[in-house]
Amino acid sequence: QVQLVESGGGLVQPGGSLRLSCAASGSTFRIYTMGWYRQAPGKQRELVAHITGGGRTNYVDSVKGRFSISRDNGKNTVYLQMNSLKPEDTAVYYCNGIPRIGEWGQGTQVTVSS
């Protein structure tokens, strides 16, 4: 089963930027559509961005123009560049396939606060 390890979160001021990384195990990573999800306290996990194996991307309206998802199939890694961060972006961020390709990892905490 694919293992997923997220990293890159932290505390940032409103308007700041972060780049998240998700490393996946396995040799067939390149065929999967991969997504970045987030879960804020007291809320359900939501999909915020995804990227197909061929590189097509899609975003939830709340992050369009601010977040950018990309992937490096040679490194089995998917990235989420987050710019112009807002307090409402505060959440634990996870990656997984669409549909899921493995168990949820520990995620990486993103806190946007002044």
Side-chain angles (χ1 to χ4, degrees), residues 47-79:
L47 176 67
V48 296
H50 73 261
I51 184 168
T52 68
R56 287 183 298 173
T57 61
N58 198 26
Y59 303 89
V60 68
D61 285 347
S62 60
V63 308
K64 280 182 181 177
R66 302 188 297 120
F67 290 11
S68 178
I69 188 171
S70 61
R71 66 192 297 161
D72 184 336
N73 290 333
K75 295 182 178 180
N76 277 19
T77 301
V78 61
Y79 304 97

Short mmCIF file of all heavy atoms in Angstrom, two decimals, residues 47-79:
data_model
loop_
_atom_site.label_atom_id
_atom_site.label_comp_id
_atom_site.label_asym_id
_atom_site.label_seq_id
_atom_site.Cartn_x
_atom_site.Cartn_y
_atom_site.Cartn_z
N LEU A 47 -11.32 18.67 -0.21
CA LEU A 47 -10.33 18.65 -1.28
C LEU A 47 -10.14 20.08 -1.77
O LEU A 47 -11.11 20.74 -2.13
CB LEU A 47 -10.81 17.77 -2.42
CG LEU A 47 -9.95 17.70 -3.67
CD1 LEU A 47 -8.62 17.03 -3.37
CD2 LEU A 47 -10.68 16.94 -4.78
N VAL A 48 -8.89 20.56 -1.80
CA VAL A 48 -8.67 21.93 -2.23
C VAL A 48 -8.01 22.03 -3.60
O VAL A 48 -8.16 23.04 -4.28
CB VAL A 48 -7.83 22.73 -1.21
CG1 VAL A 48 -8.57 22.87 0.10
CG2 VAL A 48 -6.46 22.11 -0.98
N ALA A 49 -7.29 20.99 -4.01
CA ALA A 49 -6.64 21.03 -5.31
C ALA A 49 -6.31 19.61 -5.74
O ALA A 49 -6.06 18.75 -4.89
CB ALA A 49 -5.35 21.86 -5.25
N HIS A 50 -6.32 19.38 -7.06
CA HIS A 50 -5.86 18.08 -7.52
C HIS A 50 -5.15 18.22 -8.85
O HIS A 50 -5.32 19.22 -9.57
CB HIS A 50 -7.00 17.06 -7.58
CG HIS A 50 -7.97 17.24 -8.69
ND1 HIS A 50 -9.20 17.86 -8.52
CD2 HIS A 50 -7.91 16.86 -9.99
CE1 HIS A 50 -9.85 17.84 -9.66
NE2 HIS A 50 -9.09 17.25 -10.58
N ILE A 51 -4.36 17.22 -9.16
CA ILE A 51 -3.58 17.21 -10.39
C ILE A 51 -3.60 15.81 -10.96
O ILE A 51 -3.38 14.83 -10.24
CB ILE A 51 -2.13 17.72 -10.14
CG1 ILE A 51 -1.35 17.79 -11.44
CG2 ILE A 51 -1.42 16.88 -9.08
CD1 ILE A 51 -0.03 18.55 -11.31
N THR A 52 -3.89 15.69 -12.23
CA THR A 52 -3.93 14.38 -12.87
C THR A 52 -2.51 13.89 -13.17
O THR A 52 -1.55 14.64 -13.07
CB THR A 52 -4.73 14.43 -14.18
OG1 THR A 52 -4.00 15.23 -15.13
CG2 THR A 52 -6.12 15.01 -13.96
N GLY A 53 -2.41 12.65 -13.58
CA GLY A 53 -1.11 12.13 -13.97
C GLY A 53 -0.50 12.90 -15.12
O GLY A 53 0.72 13.02 -15.22
N GLY A 54 -1.36 13.47 -15.96
CA GLY A 54 -0.90 14.24 -17.10
C GLY A 54 -0.66 15.70 -16.80
O GLY A 54 -0.23 16.46 -17.68
N GLY A 55 -0.96 16.12 -15.56
CA GLY A 55 -0.65 17.48 -15.17
C GLY A 55 -1.79 18.48 -15.19
O GLY A 55 -1.60 19.66 -14.92
N ARG A 56 -3.00 18.01 -15.50
CA ARG A 56 -4.14 18.94 -15.43
C ARG A 56 -4.50 19.20 -13.99
O ARG A 56 -4.49 18.30 -13.17
CB ARG A 56 -5.33 18.36 -16.19
CG ARG A 56 -5.17 18.40 -17.70
CD ARG A 56 -6.40 17.89 -18.41
NE ARG A 56 -6.66 16.49 -18.08
CZ ARG A 56 -7.74 15.82 -18.44
NH1 ARG A 56 -8.68 16.43 -19.13
NH2 ARG A 56 -7.89 14.56 -18.11
N THR A 57 -4.84 20.44 -13.70
CA THR A 57 -5.10 20.84 -12.32
C THR A 57 -6.50 21.41 -12.14
O THR A 57 -7.14 21.86 -13.10
CB THR A 57 -4.09 21.91 -11.87
OG1 THR A 57 -4.21 23.06 -12.71
CG2 THR A 57 -2.66 21.38 -11.96
N ASN A 58 -6.96 21.36 -10.91
CA ASN A 58 -8.25 21.95 -10.57
C ASN A 58 -8.19 22.39 -9.11
O ASN A 58 -7.48 21.77 -8.30
CB ASN A 58 -9.40 20.98 -10.79
CG ASN A 58 -10.73 21.67 -10.87
OD1 ASN A 58 -10.81 22.84 -11.24
ND2 ASN A 58 -11.78 20.97 -10.49
N TYR A 59 -8.94 23.46 -8.79
CA TYR A 59 -8.90 24.05 -7.46
C TYR A 59 -10.29 24.38 -6.97
O TYR A 59 -11.19 24.72 -7.76
CB TYR A 59 -8.07 25.34 -7.48
CG TYR A 59 -6.67 25.17 -7.99
CD1 TYR A 59 -6.38 25.28 -9.34
CD2 TYR A 59 -5.63 24.86 -7.11
CE1 TYR A 59 -5.09 25.10 -9.82
CE2 TYR A 59 -4.34 24.68 -7.57
CZ TYR A 59 -4.07 24.80 -8.93
OH TYR A 59 -2.80 24.61 -9.39
N VAL A 60 -10.47 24.32 -5.67
CA VAL A 60 -11.70 24.81 -5.08
C VAL A 60 -11.69 26.33 -5.18
O VAL A 60 -10.61 26.96 -5.20
CB VAL A 60 -11.81 24.33 -3.62
CG1 VAL A 60 -10.77 25.00 -2.74
CG2 VAL A 60 -13.20 24.53 -3.08
N ASP A 61 -12.85 26.92 -5.30
CA ASP A 61 -12.94 28.37 -5.55
C ASP A 61 -12.18 29.20 -4.51
O ASP A 61 -11.59 30.23 -4.84
CB ASP A 61 -14.40 28.81 -5.58
CG ASP A 61 -15.10 28.41 -6.87
OD1 ASP A 61 -14.41 28.01 -7.83
OD2 ASP A 61 -16.34 28.49 -6.92
N SER A 62 -12.20 28.75 -3.27
CA SER A 62 -11.62 29.56 -2.20
C SER A 62 -10.10 29.71 -2.30
O SER A 62 -9.52 30.59 -1.65
CB SER A 62 -11.99 28.97 -0.84
OG SER A 62 -11.51 27.65 -0.72
N VAL A 63 -9.44 28.87 -3.10
CA VAL A 63 -7.98 28.96 -3.22
C VAL A 63 -7.52 29.31 -4.62
O VAL A 63 -6.31 29.47 -4.85
CB VAL A 63 -7.29 27.66 -2.74
CG1 VAL A 63 -7.78 27.26 -1.36
CG2 VAL A 63 -7.49 26.53 -3.74
N LYS A 64 -8.44 29.41 -5.56
CA LYS A 64 -8.06 29.74 -6.94
C LYS A 64 -7.30 31.06 -6.99
O LYS A 64 -7.68 32.04 -6.37
CB LYS A 64 -9.31 29.82 -7.82
CG LYS A 64 -9.83 28.48 -8.27
CD LYS A 64 -11.04 28.63 -9.18
CE LYS A 64 -11.57 27.28 -9.61
NZ LYS A 64 -12.81 27.40 -10.44
N GLY A 65 -6.21 31.05 -7.75
CA GLY A 65 -5.39 32.24 -7.88
C GLY A 65 -4.38 32.42 -6.77
O GLY A 65 -3.50 33.28 -6.87
N ARG A 66 -4.48 31.62 -5.72
CA ARG A 66 -3.53 31.72 -4.60
C ARG A 66 -2.69 30.47 -4.43
O ARG A 66 -1.53 30.54 -4.05
CB ARG A 66 -4.29 32.01 -3.29
CG ARG A 66 -5.12 33.27 -3.31
CD ARG A 66 -5.68 33.58 -1.93
NE ARG A 66 -6.58 32.57 -1.43
CZ ARG A 66 -6.39 31.87 -0.30
NH1 ARG A 66 -5.33 32.10 0.45
NH2 ARG A 66 -7.29 30.97 0.08
N PHE A 67 -3.29 29.30 -4.67
CA PHE A 67 -2.60 28.02 -4.51
C PHE A 67 -2.25 27.44 -5.87
O PHE A 67 -2.99 27.64 -6.85
CB PHE A 67 -3.48 27.03 -3.77
CG PHE A 67 -3.70 27.32 -2.31
CD1 PHE A 67 -3.35 28.53 -1.73
CD2 PHE A 67 -4.29 26.35 -1.49
CE1 PHE A 67 -3.56 28.78 -0.39
CE2 PHE A 67 -4.51 26.59 -0.14
CZ PHE A 67 -4.16 27.81 0.40
N SER A 68 -1.16 26.70 -5.90
CA SER A 68 -0.75 26.04 -7.14
C SER A 68 -0.24 24.63 -6.81
O SER A 68 0.68 24.48 -6.00
CB SER A 68 0.34 26.84 -7.83
OG SER A 68 0.78 26.18 -9.00
N ILE A 69 -0.85 23.63 -7.44
CA ILE A 69 -0.43 22.25 -7.22
C ILE A 69 0.46 21.82 -8.37
O ILE A 69 0.23 22.19 -9.54
CB ILE A 69 -1.66 21.32 -7.08
CG1 ILE A 69 -1.24 19.92 -6.65
CG2 ILE A 69 -2.50 21.30 -8.36
CD1 ILE A 69 -2.43 19.01 -6.28
N SER A 70 1.47 21.04 -8.05
CA SER A 70 2.38 20.52 -9.08
C SER A 70 2.89 19.17 -8.62
O SER A 70 2.68 18.77 -7.48
CB SER A 70 3.53 21.49 -9.34
OG SER A 70 4.31 21.68 -8.17
N ARG A 71 3.56 18.48 -9.53
CA ARG A 71 4.08 17.15 -9.18
C ARG A 71 5.39 16.91 -9.90
O ARG A 71 5.64 17.45 -10.98
CB ARG A 71 3.07 16.07 -9.53
CG ARG A 71 2.80 15.89 -11.00
CD ARG A 71 1.56 15.00 -11.23
NE ARG A 71 1.77 13.65 -10.71
CZ ARG A 71 0.76 12.81 -10.44
NH1 ARG A 71 -0.49 13.18 -10.65
NH2 ARG A 71 1.02 11.60 -9.97
N ASP A 72 6.20 16.07 -9.27
CA ASP A 72 7.45 15.60 -9.88
C ASP A 72 7.38 14.08 -9.84
O ASP A 72 7.63 13.46 -8.80
CB ASP A 72 8.65 16.13 -9.09
CG ASP A 72 9.98 15.75 -9.73
OD1 ASP A 72 10.03 14.74 -10.45
OD2 ASP A 72 10.97 16.44 -9.47
N ASN A 73 7.01 13.48 -10.96
CA ASN A 73 6.83 12.02 -10.97
C ASN A 73 8.14 11.28 -10.76
O ASN A 73 8.16 10.16 -10.25
CB ASN A 73 6.19 11.59 -12.28
CG ASN A 73 4.73 12.04 -12.38
OD1 ASN A 73 4.05 12.21 -11.36
ND2 ASN A 73 4.25 12.22 -13.60
N GLY A 74 9.25 11.89 -11.12
CA GLY A 74 10.54 11.26 -10.89
C GLY A 74 10.89 11.15 -9.42
O GLY A 74 11.65 10.27 -9.01
N LYS A 75 10.32 12.04 -8.62
CA LYS A 75 10.56 12.04 -7.17
C LYS A 75 9.36 11.52 -6.39
O LYS A 75 9.37 11.56 -5.16
CB LYS A 75 10.92 13.45 -6.70
CG LYS A 75 12.22 13.99 -7.26
CD LYS A 75 12.53 15.37 -6.71
CE LYS A 75 13.86 15.89 -7.24
NZ LYS A 75 14.17 17.25 -6.71
N ASN A 76 8.33 11.07 -7.10
CA ASN A 76 7.11 10.61 -6.41
C ASN A 76 6.60 11.64 -5.41
O ASN A 76 6.22 11.32 -4.28
CB ASN A 76 7.36 9.28 -5.68
CG ASN A 76 7.26 8.07 -6.59
OD1 ASN A 76 7.34 8.21 -7.81
ND2 ASN A 76 7.10 6.90 -6.03
N THR A 77 6.58 12.88 -5.82
CA THR A 77 6.24 13.96 -4.91
C THR A 77 5.23 14.91 -5.55
O THR A 77 5.33 15.21 -6.75
CB THR A 77 7.50 14.75 -4.50
OG1 THR A 77 8.43 13.85 -3.87
CG2 THR A 77 7.17 15.86 -3.52
N VAL A 78 4.29 15.35 -4.75
CA VAL A 78 3.34 16.38 -5.17
C VAL A 78 3.51 17.58 -4.24
O VAL A 78 3.77 17.40 -3.04
CB VAL A 78 1.90 15.83 -5.18
CG1 VAL A 78 1.46 15.38 -3.80
CG2 VAL A 78 0.94 16.84 -5.77
N TYR A 79 3.37 18.76 -4.80
CA TYR A 79 3.60 19.99 -4.06
C TYR A 79 2.34 20.85 -4.04
O TYR A 79 1.49 20.76 -4.92
CB TYR A 79 4.72 20.80 -4.71
CG TYR A 79 6.02 20.05 -4.86
CD1 TYR A 79 6.35 19.42 -6.06
CD2 TYR A 79 6.92 19.96 -3.81
CE1 TYR A 79 7.55 18.73 -6.21
CE2 TYR A 79 8.12 19.27 -3.94
CZ TYR A 79 8.43 18.65 -5.14
OH TYR A 79 9.61 17.96 -5.27
#
